[in-house]
Amino acid sequence: MKKRILTILSILISALTFACDCDDINPILEFYSSEYVFEGKIISKVYANDSLTYKVSFEISKHYKKGDSPKTLEFDVTAEEEYTGQWTSCDWRANKNQTWLVYAYKYKGNLTFSGMCSNSQVIDYRPISLREQKMLDNGNSFKIQNYIFEYESGFNYCINVTDINSILEKGKIKEYKNQTTLLNVSIDSNGNLKSVTRQKELIRKKDTIFNITTKIEDASKKPITEFEKDAIELIGNVKRWEIKKHEKTGINVPYLRHIWVYYDLKTNKWSYEL
């Protein structure tokens, strides 16, 4: 019995260890970056001569994204493990007669889609959620520059342009009771500092259709400490940051960065970590 339990635990641990590692993609951001977003039925699946890939053809019943509206689209897909002899936890398959919601995008110049690490999905037995359907119906009205971004993929990683260390060198020397704080730096689409708030008091107001932040506020429910006050004042002098751009369209967007600020009572020095 004990041996059986250990075997089951081993299998579960292995499954967790090798699970496909994907970042969640907000559907509207995938919609925004896609060439086509549609519902369609696979009407053919034909393997290549070497069986390493196959071509699926979709008969499209509904287009969601504005633009040209082809009635059919074809995609080349890597074949299943039994044909390639190679298995990964990110393997997936598309079969004839399945109905899909597809977010199709360009990769290395070719139109493609994926059943993993994407919002593309079979919808025969699992209908589109009400939240995603609302997004799909309103996706063409989405204006990316009107939202505030943080960790989402599809953007460049931004750093400070102003030298933070040179600013922290001018920090006050005090016997602070608290010596650590996590702050939020709000930066506009031109890379200029807008505000500095405390992480523990941050309120995000999100769009109800696209589930992306439109506004941030400081709840100010707890008294600000002397250390927090001085830290916010210091970081408020970091005026310039790198401009954040959507990688595909090149459009500038506002964003949030999070910065830890520390004070060492032994050395009387300020430091930070992004």
Side-chain angles (χ1 to χ4, degrees), residues 163-268:
D163 182 8
I164 297 178
N165 284 319
S166 64
I167 289 174
L168 294 182
E169 287 174 357
K170 302 174 184 177
K172 297 175 182 177
I173 298 175
K174 295 182 182 179
E175 289 291 321
Y176 293 109
K177 292 183 179 179
N178 301 304
Q179 300 92 39
T180 302
T181 187
L182 177 58
L183 302 177
N184 305 285
V185 180
S186 177
I187 301 143
D188 70 17
S189 57
N190 293 314
N192 298 311
L193 177 73
K194 288 182 65 179
S195 65
V196 182
T197 58
R198 297 168 293 169
Q199 172 68 18
K200 63 185 178 182
E201 299 298 338
L202 182 69
I203 296 177
R204 294 174 178 83
K205 293 191 174 182
K206 294 196 172 188
D207 182 285
T208 57
I209 297 175
F210 304 126
N211 195 34
I212 299 181
T213 302
T214 57
K215 187 178 181 181
I216 61 167
E217 295 179 354
D218 189 335
S220 300
K221 292 180 180 178
K222 297 179 181 178
I224 191 168
T225 67
E226 187 175 13
F227 174 73
E228 288 174 331
K229 181 180 178 181
D230 290 346
I232 288 173
E233 183 178 343
L234 281 171
I235 300 304
N237 290 316
V238 185
K239 301 295 186 182
R240 291 288 300 156
W241 293 75
E242 193 172 358
I243 294 173
K244 194 178 190 76
K245 295 177 177 288
H246 185 254
E247 291 175 346
K248 181 178 179 180
T249 62
I251 294 177
N252 299 1
V253 297
Y255 67 100
L256 276 179
R257 280 304 306 268
H258 308 286
I259 177 170
W260 285 97
V261 182
Y262 312 99
Y263 183 79
D264 190 325
L265 289 173
K266 293 181 180 179
T267 62
N268 292 321

Side-chain angles (χ1 to χ4, degrees), residues 38-44 56-63 70-75 97-102:
F38 65 86
E39 291 180 33
K41 184 177 182 179
I42 297 176
I43 54 176
S44 71
V56 290
S57 298
F58 282 92
E59 184 177 68
I60 299 171
S61 57
K62 184 173 185 178
H63 278 279
K71 294 181 179 180
T72 61
L73 281 172
E74 291 184 337
F75 301 89
N97 294 323
Q98 286 180 334
T99 303
W100 280 71
L101 167 65
V102 174

